[in-house]
Amino acid sequence: MRLDLPARPPFSLDQVINAHGWPQLQPFHWNPDHRELRRVERLPSGTVVELLFGTADGGMSVEIVNPPAALADTERQALADAVTWMFGLDQDFSAFYAQARTEPRLAHAEACAKGRMLRSATLWEDCVKTILTTNTTWSGTIRMVEALVTQWGEPLPDDSGRRTFPAPERLARVDADTLCTAGKLGYRAPYVLELAQAIDSGKLNLEALKTSDLPTLELRKRLLAIKGVGGYAAANLLMILGHYDFVPVDSWALKLVANEWHGGRPIGQAEVEAAFKDWGRWKALAYWFWEWTR
DNA sequence: GGTAGACCTGGACGC
DNA sequence: GCGTCCAGGTCTACC
């Protein structure tokens, strides 16, 4: 079964996939040789399927490749909604492009359809993955996410090696020590467990933030209230939510800005923020898609 | 409000 | 091969 979904132009599937490292994290499977992005996902009916994403006229396609399945209308709509969210198909960057046209380092943004960033199906998944990017290397993040998916994800019916990202209700019932050791999360285990339990108990409705009309500062406050989410992680999650007022300042950002404007001398967060202060509600996008000298 | 130390792991480095 | 040091954000305690 295949769905073709429209996207607000300009749109480039390659651009969404290459915008950041998420395609390398399970349950996404990115094959750069064949330029194929797949993902294992649980449908609302409970069926676990493998999705294959591709280009289509005016947007993109999603195909259920394993197991071949026909969907009821309600499931078809749920899948369309999920893919629309993951690829930001309805996102509008026209105001950002208008400002980007005035800056040579961002003049390519509109022509290359830059702006969208691949998201997971749930904010829960993106929140956990973001926590797992902190205070570690990228290879460490890949390893931790893989351990979570392998240990607690739901398998494809005919391939137990391919699994979904574990649902919060699943992780809420794992003890912190097991998450720490088998999940390889280390000191982050209690953070992920606390988040899973808050969602599972109904104390926190994280997914509601995806469609919330709260102002950015209030959204940021809600994100910072999650243990393990600090300034960098909150800015990263705000970008995923389509709010670009805060630059996610990590050690890489400090190096980039130091090299670009400070002759390589060590700088702090304030200098990064100052570099993009004129970009208003597009600060994070300007930083993310800036054509750096080195 | 600002700062120091702890948290955990992998990788780099020196021996 | 082994031990040591460091990088990577956030939390907590303390001033």
Side-chain angles (χ1 to χ4, degrees):
Chain A
M1 193 226 72
R2 170 182 157 139
L3 280 178
D4 282 358
L5 299 168
R8 183 190 293 268
F11 175 76
S12 159
L13 182 60
D14 272 357
Q15 185 50 235
V16 185
I17 290 170
N18 291 318
H20 63 156
W22 256 213
Q24 296 170 39
L25 299 179
Q26 291 193 37
F28 285 111
H29 297 266
W30 169 240
N31 182 332
D33 296 331
H34 296 93
R35 307 199 64 71
E36 259 188 14
L37 182 67
R38 295 169 181 256
R39 176 179 167 89
V40 181
E41 188 64 53
R42 184 183 192 274
L43 298 174
S45 63
T47 311
V48 175
V49 297
E50 183 179 33
L51 306 173
L52 171 64
F53 305 104
T55 54
D57 275 350
M60 62 176 290
S61 67
V62 53
E63 196 173 350
I64 297 182
V65 290
N66 183 20
L71 297 184
D73 285 349
T74 50
E75 285 225 310
R76 180 183 288 257
Q77 188 57 52
L79 179 58
D81 290 346
V83 175
T84 297
W85 168 259
M86 282 192 272
F87 291 85
L89 300 183
D90 54 359
Q91 284 190 284
D92 179 7
F93 296 101
S94 52
F96 168 60
Y97 293 148
Q99 194 170 347
R101 278 182 222 120
T102 67
E103 168 52 61
R105 297 300 182 91
L106 287 168
H108 62 293
E110 184 171 14
C112 298
K114 289 181 186 291
R116 295 178 176 88
M117 312 185 77
L118 184 65
R119 300 151 158 166
S120 304
T122 61
L123 190 56
W124 145 254
E125 182 178 330
D126 278 338
C127 196
V128 171
K129 285 177 172 175
T130 299
I131 290 173
L132 301 189
T133 64
T134 61
N135 203 24
T136 187
T137 57
W138 180 243
S139 60
T141 302
I142 292 175
R143 214 169 13 251
M144 287 184 261
V145 173
E146 183 182 3
L148 285 183
V149 169
T150 304
Q151 302 275 337
W152 296 288
E154 290 187 60
L156 280 169
D158 64 350
D159 184 357
S160 61
R162 307 286 302 283
R163 293 171 180 264
T164 63
F165 191 82
E169 54 268 28
R170 191 80 182 262
L171 286 193
R173 285 157 184 73
V174 179
D175 65 86
D177 286 345
T178 307
L179 269 182
C180 179
T181 51
K184 303 179 182 177
L185 302 194
Y187 73 93
R188 301 169 195 82
Y191 301 158
V192 172
L193 183 59
E194 188 176 316
L195 179 61
Q197 290 174 340
I199 295 171
D200 182 47
S201 68
K203 197 173 125 194
L204 174 66
N205 185 356
L206 200 55
E207 302 310 312
L209 298 186
K210 287 158 73 176
T211 52
S212 163
D213 54 4
L214 288 171
T216 305
L217 280 177
E218 181 57 32
L219 273 177
R220 182 169 184 267
K221 208 169 134 191
R222 305 272 176 105
L223 293 168
L224 287 172
I226 298 169
K227 276 252 183 73
V229 174
Y232 159 78
N236 201 57
L237 287 166
L238 282 173
M239 284 180 77
I240 283 169
L241 288 169
H243 293 252
Y244 309 102
D245 313 56
F246 291 87
V247 177
V249 181
D250 58 3
S251 56
W252 185 239
L254 295 173
K255 279 179 196 146
L256 288 173
V257 172
N259 286 332
E260 190 80 2
W261 289 294
H262 298 273
R265 291 184 302 279
I267 59 165
Q269 179 164 347
E271 284 84 352
V272 176
E273 286 165 359
F276 292 96
K277 68 176 169 33
D278 293 335
W279 285 87
R281 65 187 175 108
W282 304 112
K283 289 186 194 78
L285 279 188
Y287 158 73
W288 200 262
F289 294 111
W290 194 263
E291 269 194 354
W292 300 95
T293 307
R294 283 178 282 181

